[in-house]
Each structure stands twice: as C-alpha cells, then as structure tokens.
Amino acid sequence: MQNNAKTTAARGREAIWAQVCDEARDAVQGEPLLGAMIHAGLLHHPSLEASLAYRFSMKLASAEMSEQILREIADAAYADDASLGDAARCDLLAVYDRDPATHRLIQPILFFKGFQALQAYRIAHWLWRKGRLDMAYFVQMRCSECFGVDIHPGARIGTGVMIDHAHSIVIGETAVVGNDVSMLHSVTLGGTGKEDGDRHPKIGEGVLIGAGAKVLGNITVGDHSRIAAGSVVLQSVPRCKTVAGVPARVIGDAGCTDPSRTMNQLLGIDDYF
C-alpha cells in the first residue's frame, strides 16, 4: 500500500478512508509497538471525521478541559458541517502530494503537527461561526501550546492547504488564505500595529509562502504567486509573480502555473538583476 498510494484512482470519501485503514494495518504489522496507538487513532473509528475528532481531543486535552468534552465538541462540529471533513481530505491529499517526506496518508494524521493544527483550527473556526467565541479562543490557545501554531479562529482558510513543518506559524484574525496554498514554518500573516478592523493579509489561491516570510497588513497576494523565504511583504503582490527581500519586491514571474504544488523555492540568479 505504501508504494502505490499515489496511483489511487478514486479519491472520494470512502476511498480515502479505506486507503488510510489499509495503510494503518500495514503499519501495525511493520511496527507492532505502535499497534495500540494506530488502533486507537485510526482503526477503531468508522470514518476519517471520527478519527480526527479523537485525535483533536487527545492532543488538546488538559487539566482545564477533558478529552471527553473536546471529543463531544469535535463530533458535533463534524456532524453539523460536512465541509469540515471534506476540507480535511483536501488538506490530507495536499500534504501527501506536495511533501516528499510523506509516503502514506496516515503520516499527517498521526505525526504531522501542521495538518493536525489546521484541523484544530477548522473546529475553532466552526465554534467562532456559532458564536462560541470563548471556546474558540480556548482551542486556539491549546493549539498554540501543543503545536506551536497560532491561528486566530476568525481567520478564513480555504481547502487543500499544506503547512509544512508548521513551527511558529501565526495567522491573524482577519487574514484570508485561499485554496491550495502551501506555506512553510515561521510564516506570519499579521498586522502592522494597533489598528482595528480588517488588518491582515489576503492570500490568493495556489500561493507558495517560503519559510520565515512575514506578510503584514491588509494587503493582497495574487493567485499563484511565490513569496521567497525570509521576505517581509508590506505591499500587495500581483498574481503569478515572485517577490523576495526586506522589504519584498517583485523580482520576476512565478515560474510556473502552480507554485504551491511544485514547491519550487529556488530563485535564479537573474531574478536579482
């Protein structure tokens, strides 16, 4: 199953979960010492949503909030809004397709904090939309404490998003992240001061944001653009362009139609002149 996962033709709800379960059974045979964890996290559940709800409750539980309460919250979210499970599937396939270190679908679910933090955010955002602001803030706090990922529950994030490595990610309240975006660790989508209201970046679809990049203020980053690692972006970026530097400036075209999928972060020497 590990070798032919990328050739799976049908990637619907049932097909993805069946593939996850096949991989889980293979993993138990290969590493019996992880059998209890894999059974509890994957094979004991009837669906991906149930598995993710369990993982959410296990990772974020604390002396202040029990696993049972968190599990009830997550189950209610997935039951109320089917798009949460669909988004999780898109995110899962995005990680698998774009991260060369990912060889099985079970890896993000069990081991990758970027994927787990993103699914926790999605539940926090559901709470936010339901008007349960304090509980949403609690999930944000625990996500920051457990994963080192601080996403405000009011932010709006599309599907098919990959957050690779994920350490020190910060996404502000009025930020918008489009579909099929890839970002690496230490990315900040932040404000520029104490201003209230709409104050955070709007990231278009298919954008690649390199490690350590800071995108600040109520600016837009056009679809299918690239932000080079370590850049500080203070002005809007046109679509299909590459920006780099401090402060960032346009140094050329994006180089391909889907930078978030190709994950090519190298800049040619000609880009600087």
Side-chain angles (χ1 to χ4, degrees), residues 73-186:
I73 290 170
D75 284 339
Y78 286 118
D80 177 71
D81 189 349
S83 71
L84 296 177
D86 292 338
R89 288 171 177 82
C90 291
D91 298 338
L92 183 62
L93 294 177
V95 176
Y96 182 79
D97 289 337
R98 301 174 205 169
D99 182 359
T102 304
H103 308 293
R104 295 171 297 174
L105 293 178
I106 63 171
Q107 287 175 266
I109 301 171
L110 294 177
F111 307 125
F112 292 179
K113 68 179 184 178
F115 175 80
Q116 295 176 17
L118 184 55
Q119 306 323 307
Y121 148 78
R122 295 196 186 283
I123 293 173
H125 186 63
W126 175 82
L127 289 164
W128 188 264
R129 290 187 287 108
K130 293 293 183 181
R132 301 174 64 181
L133 306 189
D134 289 330
M135 186 61 75
Y137 280 130
F138 178 84
V139 174
Q140 177 192 5
M141 176 191 73
R142 288 297 295 149
C143 197
S144 179
E145 292 172 346
C146 295
F147 301 124
V149 175
D150 195 342
I151 305 176
H152 193 285
R156 290 179 288 152
I157 299 179
T159 64
V161 173
M162 182 185 75
I163 305 178
D164 196 16
H165 300 292
H167 190 70
S168 297
I169 294 287
V170 177
I171 299 178
E173 177 183 11
T174 61
V176 177
V177 178
N179 296 330
D180 299 319
V181 167
S182 294
M183 66 180 74
L184 284 87
H185 54 284
S186 299

Side-chain angles (χ1 to χ4, degrees), residues 4 39 48 57 133 162 174 217 257:
N4 64 7
H39 274 278
L48 178 63
S57 65
L133 306 189
M162 182 185 75
T174 61
T257 57

